[in-house]
Amino acid sequence: QVQLVESGGGSVQAGGSLRLSCAASGSRYSSNCMGWFRQAPGREREGVAVIYTGMGRTYYADSVKGRFTISQDNAKNTVYLQMNSLKPEDTAMYYCAARLNTMACSMSPGLFTYWGQGTQVTVSS
């Protein structure tokens, strides 16, 4: 069973930064679609950023473009989400997700088959 473990969440002031990590274990594939999603109370789950490791392609939600950066460390089997210039509206539970050994990769939550437990991000004004 593939396991995804998120870390790095916390509480920060508006304008601050956080770096989320997603450590993946149990995968023997090299071409994966890895994504970060978030969900605030009363809101639907939305895609934040996605990276397709097979091609090095990245995708970002318009609301975070220019502020967030998704990256990977192949040696550590870890995906990161660097979040800068955080805003109160970024407050949510953030989830790491994966679709393994795939040629399909997008921002759609329905494409992903593995999910982490989530890490809370709270941004105060």
Side-chain angles (χ1 to χ4, degrees):
Q1 178 66 45
V2 173
Q3 290 184 304
L4 305 176
V5 180
E6 303 102 328
S7 62
S11 298
V12 297
Q13 295 282 317
S17 298
L18 286 173
R19 190 191 194 196
L20 306 184
S21 299
C22 174
S25 63
S27 175
R28 52 187 169 94
Y29 307 112
S30 61
S31 182
N32 302 321
C33 183
M34 304 292 298
W36 286 97
F37 297 79
R38 66 187 183 187
Q39 187 168 25
R43 305 274 188 82
E44 65 180 2
R45 186 168 298 186
E46 64 174 342
V48 176
V50 168
I51 183 167
Y52 181 54
T53 63
M55 297 293 292
R57 298 287 300 274
T58 58
Y59 309 87
Y60 296 93
D62 289 341
S63 60
V64 307
K65 192 171 297 182
R67 299 188 298 122
F68 292 9
T69 303
I70 188 170
S71 61
Q72 65 182 93
D73 185 332
N74 291 331
K76 297 181 179 180
N77 291 324
T78 301
V79 176
Y80 303 96
L81 184 67
Q82 179 67 47
M83 305 186 294
N84 298 326
S85 302
L86 284 162
K87 305 175 180 179
E89 49 263 46
D90 294 318
T91 296
M93 183 73 74
Y94 283 70
Y95 299 91
C96 178
R99 181 182 176 89
L100 306 180
N101 194 28
T102 184
M103 293 180 65
C105 193
S106 75
M107 295 283 285
S108 175
L111 264 62
F112 295 83
T113 54
Y114 295 94
W115 294 84
Q117 82 288 346
T119 184
Q120 179 68 39
V121 171
T122 302
V123 185
S124 60
S125 60

